[in-house]
Amino acid sequence: MKTIAAAALVAGLAFSAQAMAEPVKIGMITTLSGGGAGLGIDIRDGFLLAIKESGNKDIKVIVEDDAQKPELAVQIADKMVQSEKVDILTGIVWSNLAMAVVPGVVGQGTFYLSTNAGPSALAGEKCNPNYFNVAYQNDNLHEAMGNYANTANYKKTFILAPNYPAGTDALTGFKRFYKGALAGELYTKVGQTDYATEIAQIRASGADSVYFFLPGGMGIAFMKQYSQSGISTPVMGPGFSFDQDVLGAIGDAALGVKNSSHWSKDLDNAANKKYVAAFKAEYKRLPSLYATQGYDTANLILSAVAKASVKDKDAFRAALKEAKFDSVRGKFKFGNNNHPIQDIYVREVIKEDGVLTNKIVATSFTDHQDAYAANCKM
């Protein structure tokens, strides 16, 4: 009788817990149209794959397109917080959109988890307990390539990036570790597709190397035009400019290019192998860095949901901070400013089974923390 009674009690508790399970509403604002659409599509697909794999029916994800417009992103965020009553916001690709949206959202007590944008201001003085970046701080991958440029013995690098927060963070990060001289430094227009003037300046500069950060369609256009120009000066970039979302469009001009990333499909851990296979099965393509950040963000949320109610802000925040999930990056932890402390690798673009992709060739940083954490008063 005791065994039956105990079994009934356990069953009753399980039923009660299931019955009381609270729905969690997640609002995803990301770029699904225009030149940057590929980035947002990958973030969305990686995120939704993790939710699907979890089988958690209590999580509802609402996805909307910001069309890469800050004012539209703000309108969508206001609607999601005020009308949709979402518990968590996520998904923004671009740092200028993040700066327009995040401070107001976290100021209202809503959690924001970044799947990509990592502007320096939100890592430093404007850090917030409700803001978590699951990707990186903007400078990080560029710092890694500045460090690599030294080991490659480059002495006169020409650097360029778009004129918006992530672009200025990018070149600041590169210069923070690069010890050589600059052959030139340019900030281009966001969304620019004609780089004839910039390429002419590179040609005339006497540079022994080029470092650029031009995400999405901007990088595709630059690399095609650079290749056609006949300049043989070697090119470097962050992983964003040479990842799976753009390599097919760039083509063989990308072969051999070194780039930095905190993730690569050849990272040797069980979670990553499972993820790469699952993404390929679900979407019939290899995952990109953006998709991977979406996937890790969703799994972080799932780990926190399993431990605490999202309505209990303090408990849920603590569960997020603990970051006890199987990251495809392997080890994962947050610093004091809720940004990752992580390894950053140097990759090389290769062709594998007829498909352009990347392989890790070196580790640039181990357990790297961003430069702004000291300014965060959390």
Side-chain angles (χ1 to χ4, degrees), residues 149-171:
N150 299 326
T151 65
N153 205 32
Y154 292 137
K155 303 293 187 184
K156 195 177 180 185
T157 303
F158 194 106
I159 61 175
L160 66 157
N163 190 15
Y164 78 119
T168 54
D169 284 350
L171 300 192

Side-chain angles (χ1 to χ4, degrees), residues 351-372:
K351 188 169 280 189
E352 188 176 84
D353 299 326
V355 178
L356 288 167
T357 187
N358 282 281
K359 69 173 182 180
I360 294 173
V361 294
T363 299
S364 185
F365 292 130
T366 300
D367 293 331
H368 187 63
Q369 186 170 28
D370 65 88
Y372 306 96

Side-chain angles (χ1 to χ4, degrees), residues 155-237:
K155 303 293 187 184
K156 195 177 180 185
T157 303
F158 194 106
I159 61 175
L160 66 157
N163 190 15
Y164 78 119
T168 54
D169 284 350
L171 300 192
T172 297
F174 183 88
K175 291 184 290 183
R176 183 174 289 122
F177 283 84
Y178 175 58
K179 296 176 181 177
L182 292 180
E185 180 175 359
L186 287 178
Y187 287 96
T188 63
K189 292 181 181 178
V190 175
Q192 184 173 325
T193 56
D194 183 356
Y195 293 95
T197 300
E198 288 79 5
I199 290 170
Q201 288 179 255
I202 292 169
R203 187 191 299 275
S205 71
D208 64 4
S209 51
V210 176
Y211 181 79
F212 76 90
F213 164 59
L214 294 165
M218 292 180 282
I220 295 168
F222 176 82
M223 275 304 294
K224 283 186 171 180
Q225 292 164 36
Y226 189 83
S227 176
Q228 290 164 3
S229 74
I231 300 177
S232 59
T233 306
V235 170
M236 306 173 284

Side-chain angles (χ1 to χ4, degrees), residues 113 134 295-305 319-320 323 325 334:
L113 275 71
V134 196
Y295 187 80
D296 262 1
T297 301
N299 277 318
L300 170 64
I301 293 171
L302 288 162
S303 73
V305 166
L320 288 172
F325 71 104
F334 285 117

